Amino acid sequence: MSKTPSKTPQAIRGTQDIFGAEAEAFAFVVETFERVRKLYRFRRVEMPVFERTEVFSRAIGETTDVVSKEMYSFEDRGGESLTLRPEFTAGMARAYITNGWQQHAPVKLATHGPLFRYERPQKGRYRQFHQLDAEIIGAGEPQADVELLAMADQLLRELGISGVTLQLNTLGDADSRDAWRAALVAYFREVRGELSEDSQERLDKNPLRILDSKDARDRRFVADAPRIDQFLSDEALRFFESVTSGLDAAGVKWARAESLVRGLDYYRHTAFEFVPDEGSAAAAALGSQSTILGGGRYDGLMESLGGPPTSAVGWAAGIERLAMLLDPTSPSRFVDMRQNRAFKADLAALELVPSAREDERVTAQLANLLRRLDISVVTTFSGKPQRRFEKARDHGHARSVGSFGRRGDKFELYLVNRTLDDPDFEALSNRLQQNGEFKFEACSVRRTHSGVAAHVWTVS
RNA sequence: GCGAUCGUAGCUCAGUUGGUUAGAGCGCCGGUUUGUGGUACCGGAGGUCGCGGGUUCGAACCCCGUCGAUCGCCCCA
C-alpha cells in the first residue's frame, strides 16, 4: 500500500488476493471436498451469490448479529433490497421451496463459494470468505445427522488435519429449547448486576450465548446454570442418543459440549462444531478463531420462509481456516523450496531453457510436444541465455531443468533433476522416443564431477 | 462498534539520544564465469520514509490528525 500510486484503487478491506502456496492450499481443500462429497453422493448445486434481503432476515433471525449488523445489503435499480449471502443455508432452503426440490427429497446437496459479512477482519476471518457447505434436506432421521458428520470427519482426515475434535450438543426440539431458554433467563436474571456488560445484553438478546462467555465474571455462574438435559423431552433424548450411538458405530470421535449453542435462531436438536484441541498446533494456527466447521439440524427453517414443514441438517466449513491447518511439512503434498514452501502441485515437471537465442523456437516447439505427452513444462526465454539454466536450477519452479539446443548438426536435450525425488527418466525417455516430431535417440547418463546424474538425449 | 501494535526499495527488514547525498539481504537488469543436488564473481536500476499538518536551525525519528495493515474483544466459518 505504502508506495502504491494514489491513482490505484485499494482492495476492499477484508478481501484477499490469494496466491502461491496459499492458493494451492485453498484449491487442495476444495478438491478434497469435491472428492469426498462424491463418495457420499452429495449432489453439486450452484447458488446465487445474492438474494432478496428477506431470505436471510427471515431465515436467520432479525435479532442475530449476522442480520442486524453484518449484512451487505443494497437496493438494486428497481428499488428491491438485496443482500450478498452471509451464509448458504437460507438460500438453499429458498431454492428447495421455489424449485420444488421436494420431489427429490431427501436430497443431499453440496456447494462451495464466497460469502460476505461486514465484520472487522482478523486472523482467519474476512469480509469475503469462503465456505464448503453440505446439507441433507427432507430427512428427519438421526441417521442423516450421523452420515453428515461422518462425511465431515472423513473430510478432515483426508485433509490431514489433526488435533481437532467434534463438539456435540443437542438443543432439543422447539419445546425443550424454549423451556431451557426460559429457565436460563430466570437463573441469570437473579444475578444480572454481577454479569459482564456483554452478558447483560445477551440476557435480552441471546441468553444461550452467556454459556460460552469467556469472561470470568460470567463463568462462575455458568457452572450451576440449568442444563438442557433437564428439559429434554423423551423424544428429543431418544433422538440425541441415536445420533451419538450412530457416531460411535461409524467410528467418529466426539465430545459432549453442554454449553455449545449455535448463533443462529433456526437450530434444533443436533448442534455441533469441529474445534481445535486446546494447546494443539491447530489451535495456535487459527488464532482466536476456533470453529473450523459447524452446523446442526434446522427443522423449523423452511416454515419461516413460507415453505412446508421440512426437516434438514447441514454444516459449513471455512475454506481459509481449513487451509491454515494443512501441514506444510507433510512430505506427501509439499516440497520445501528454500524458505518458500510450495505445493508439489505448484511445481512443473520440467523447466526448459534454450541453450542459445537461436534455439528459442525449437525449444518452444519441444515444450509443446512435451505438454501433449502430458508433461507440465514451463519455459524461460528472458534474461541472458547462458544464465537461464543456472537460474532455473537455483530458483526455478520445476522439478527438473532441461537445456535444449543445437549441438553440431544435431540437437541435445540436457536434463538435470532439482528435487530429491527423482522422476522416472526411463518412462520419460520412452515417451520421448514415441513422438513423430523429434527423433530422440537413446538416453545416456553423464556423471558430473559432483556425482550428479545428467540425462542427455541426442535429437535429430 | 471498542482496544492494542505497526506503516522506510518489488519482498523481508536495518536506520544509534532528531544532525550531510536513507542502508542491507533477496528479487530484477547488465557483464564475467560455469553446463548443474539448491551458496560463483563484478556492476547497475529502483525510495515524495503511507498521507496531511505541527514543533525545531534541522524530522524516517517528537506531537496531532487521517488512511491502511495486523492481532484481540464482540460475533462467527
Side-chain angles (χ1 to χ4, degrees):
Chain A
M1 261 95 299
S2 27
K3 37 103 239 45
T4 302
S6 59
K7 281 173 189 148
T8 305
Q10 291 174 327
I12 305 298
R13 164 175 286 188
T15 62
Q16 324 168 70
D17 305 307
I18 309 173
F19 175 74
E22 281 172 30
E24 294 302 327
F26 190 104
F28 176 69
V29 170
V30 172
E31 284 158 17
T32 306
F33 174 66
E34 275 294 298
R35 194 160 51 74
V36 171
R37 150 250 139 174
K38 285 177 192 164
L39 295 173
Y40 286 79
R41 307 304 292 177
F42 275 66
R43 301 168 76 170
R44 180 71 210 230
V45 284
E46 300 297 336
M47 302 298 302
V49 169
F50 56 168
E51 297 272 358
R52 286 197 159 84
T53 297
E54 61 174 327
V55 169
F56 304 113
S57 57
R58 285 170 59 181
I60 300 171
E62 296 280 1
T63 63
T64 58
D65 278 26
V66 171
V67 172
S68 64
K69 54 188 201 199
E70 295 172 3
M71 293 205 299
Y72 274 96
S73 299
F74 60 97
E75 272 192 13
D76 73 1
R77 287 163 190 263
E80 194 103 50
S81 177
L82 307 181
T83 295
L84 263 31
R85 41 139 101 135
E87 61 147 44
F88 279 114
T89 309
M92 308 233 325
R94 187 234 86 219
Y96 180 86
I97 299 167
T98 58
N99 296 318
W101 286 348
Q102 295 153 72
Q103 60 182 315
H104 302 116
V107 257
K108 300 194 284 182
L109 304 173
T111 192
H112 64 83
L115 303 167
F116 305 86
R117 247 119 100 161
Y118 192 89
E119 296 184 273
R120 271 309 268 285
Q122 51 185 275
K123 190 172 202 167
R125 169 199 251 165
Y126 309 94
R127 288 187 173 178
Q128 177 181 335
F129 59 105
H130 302 80
Q131 284 186 349
L132 311 173
D133 187 274
E135 314 276 346
I136 304 181
I137 307 181
E141 331 70 71
Q143 288 80 4
D145 306 44
V146 173
E147 181 176 319
L148 188 80
L149 283 165
M151 175 170 79
D153 187 66
Q154 183 168 353
L155 172 68
L156 296 181
R157 248 178 309 140
E158 305 232 351
L159 287 170
I161 292 173
S162 56
V164 169
T165 16
L166 166 59
Q167 307 280 340
L168 188 68
N169 196 20
T170 178
L171 305 172
D173 46 39
D175 290 344
S176 313
R177 180 172 154 147
D178 290 348
W180 181 39
R181 182 189 164 108
L184 281 173
V185 171
Y187 171 81
F188 284 118
R189 196 165 276 157
E190 292 291 308
V191 293
R192 178 171 202 131
E194 297 176 66
L195 296 174
S196 67
E197 298 74 27
D198 284 333
S199 283
Q200 297 193 25
E201 212 175 301
R202 285 190 271 239
L203 193 48
D204 303 317
K205 285 177 57 187
N206 196 351
L208 306 199
R209 277 261 79 108
I210 300 174
L211 294 177
D212 54 23
S213 167
K214 290 163 192 157
D215 199 302
R217 285 171 291 175
D218 303 327
R219 296 201 93 139
R220 55 204 175 119
F221 297 114
V222 167
D224 297 321
R227 304 180 169 212
I228 178 66
D229 290 10
Q230 305 164 229
F231 301 90
L232 247 29
S233 66
D234 288 350
E235 205 200 321
L237 193 61
R238 240 180 298 121
F239 190 96
F240 188 56
E241 282 168 357
S242 310
V243 173
T244 56
S245 61
L247 289 173
D248 292 338
V252 177
K253 291 219 177 64
W254 58 277
R256 179 70 195 275
E258 277 192 317
S259 61
L260 188 154
V261 294
R262 309 237 60 234
L264 312 179
D265 283 355
Y266 52 60
Y267 287 109
R268 300 283 181 277
H269 288 292
T270 319
F272 55 85
E273 291 177 356
F274 283 81
V275 180
D277 305 331
E278 226 166 302
S280 66
L286 281 176
S288 68
Q289 264 54 243
S290 52
T291 306
I292 56 169
L293 184 154
R297 180 161 278 282
Y298 50 93
D299 289 351
L301 176 56
M302 291 292 170
E303 287 158 89
S304 70
L305 289 175
T310 307
S311 41
V313 236
W315 55 248
I319 298 177
E320 290 89 347
R321 291 185 188 177
L322 290 171
M324 285 190 284
L325 296 187
L326 298 182
D327 181 1
T329 63
S330 163
S332 60
R333 304 203 162 94
F334 293 84
V335 65
D336 215 31
M337 299 281 294
R338 295 170 137 211
Q339 297 97 325
N340 294 327
R341 296 213 195 86
F343 274 79
K344 276 188 182 175
D346 202 25
L347 288 180
L350 174 64
E351 178 156 357
L352 205 52
V353 302
S355 2
R357 287 210 197 277
E358 61 268 27
D359 296 321
E360 285 175 1
R361 201 200 287 175
V362 259
T363 303
Q365 229 181 315
L366 175 62
N368 285 333
L369 165 69
L370 291 169
R371 291 172 185 134
R372 283 198 296 274
L373 294 173
D374 207 30
I375 298 165
S376 61
V377 178
V378 290
T379 52
T380 299
F381 294 129
S382 67
K384 286 180 55 182
Q386 304 100 301
R387 194 192 261 167
R388 290 171 186 157
F389 189 92
E390 202 174 334
K391 237 176 181 174
R393 182 216 346 165
D394 292 346
H395 314 294
H397 303 288
R399 288 197 280 277
S400 307
V401 176
S403 143
F404 188 64
R406 238 167 278 270
R407 192 88 167 179
D409 56 343
K410 297 192 168 179
F411 290 92
E412 186 181 85
L413 174 62
Y414 183 94
L415 197 59
V416 157
N417 195 29
R418 300 173 61 230
T419 56
L420 297 173
D421 51 324
D422 280 309
D424 189 345
F425 283 108
E426 200 177 329
L428 174 62
S429 192
N430 289 338
R431 269 146 110 189
L432 288 176
Q433 286 167 48
Q434 276 164 19
N435 81 93
E437 257 171 86
F438 294 86
K439 214 164 128 201
F440 279 82
E441 291 161 23
C443 172
S444 67
V445 178
R446 288 180 208 161
R447 290 274 156 194
T448 66
H449 56 273
S450 51
V452 177
H455 291 70
V456 185
W457 287 265
T458 305
V459 183
S460 50

